[in-house]
Amino acid sequence: MTLSVSTASFLKKLAIYGAIAAVTIPCILLFPFPFRLPFQFVMGVMFAHGVELSHEMIHQKHFGRRWGGAIGFLLGLPMGVEFTRYSLTHSYHHRAVGTPEDEESFSYDFGKLSAPLSFLLHLSMLSHYCTVARSLLSSLLGHEAAIRISMGSAGTTAPRWAIANVMRGYKVMALLLFGMGLITAVLQTPVFVHLWLVPLLFAGPVHALIELPEHWGCQRDTTDIMVNTRTILPSRFADWLTNGNCWHVEHHYKPALPMADLPRLHEAIAPQIKYLNLGYGEFYREFFTELWRSPVAPTD
């Protein structure tokens, strides 16, 4: 079986993910506090990176629907990202960006970023985890309507089979959470706290910082991708960490284009891009300057 170039590239990304996890997990388990904290931070970064890999699975359809869906689900699982739901809401975002109907996949409220406390709440991704908790309960109770409502406009247009898959995914998450809780209580082991819960505290802020620049402060009252989306020219590390999502204008311009090809597309359309930053450092200097300069931050 001959793999496409993009699929082979994705397998390499999965191998790197696995290699980092294989080194990090033993260090977390063997090292005492506080020496395990740096490795828990790395694990949290990998949780966030896994969501970016899952994002690629939405557009590239590696390995077919069944295996691709399973891999996408596992990549998003540590952060409670149900893959079918993510696919539906993110695809809707691509169709609706620049319109009043546009909604992000995660429960962000950029319009409230007007003070340090609101920014810290944004970094915690608390609203996302509350949505996950409600979705877990709704799925266990069989409340399809509640799942649709929680997904916003994407939920109202989704076929019934897709919503059934979303609910099935959340039920699997609930089963895994129950299993972790049971093992923790019976064996009186903190292993899941060390390997998942503490890294999750780091994963939320990393993921939020990756996602925030994509449309923040851009012109969201137009469907022109060149002015409603931002591209950040990345370092090699940032390009890897975000899995090419830093090339966000290019990604919205041609969503089906493999992530590795986005830099070449950038060369062709760069003069048309209104919001372009040289690195994440430049963007966040601009962001913090604007954020606390006025009482109301630019909305998403």
Side-chain angles (χ1 to χ4, degrees), residues 4-18:
S4 67
V5 173
S6 62
T7 299
S9 173
F10 189 79
L11 282 173
K12 292 179 182 177
K13 297 173 187 178
L14 288 181
I16 293 172
Y17 185 106

Side-chain angles (χ1 to χ4, degrees), residues 97-98 219 221-229 249 253 272:
V97 65
Q219 296 175 216
D221 58 351
T222 173
T223 57
D224 185 353
I225 298 299
M226 300 301 166
V227 299
N228 67 21
T229 305
V249 174
Y253 188 71
Q272 305 173 56

Side-chain angles (χ1 to χ4, degrees), residues 213-221 227-230 275 298-299:
E214 296 171 356
H215 302 285
W216 187 91
C218 301
Q219 296 175 216
R220 300 303 301 277
D221 58 351
V227 299
N228 67 21
T229 305
R230 170 181 282 100
Y275 297 99
T299 60

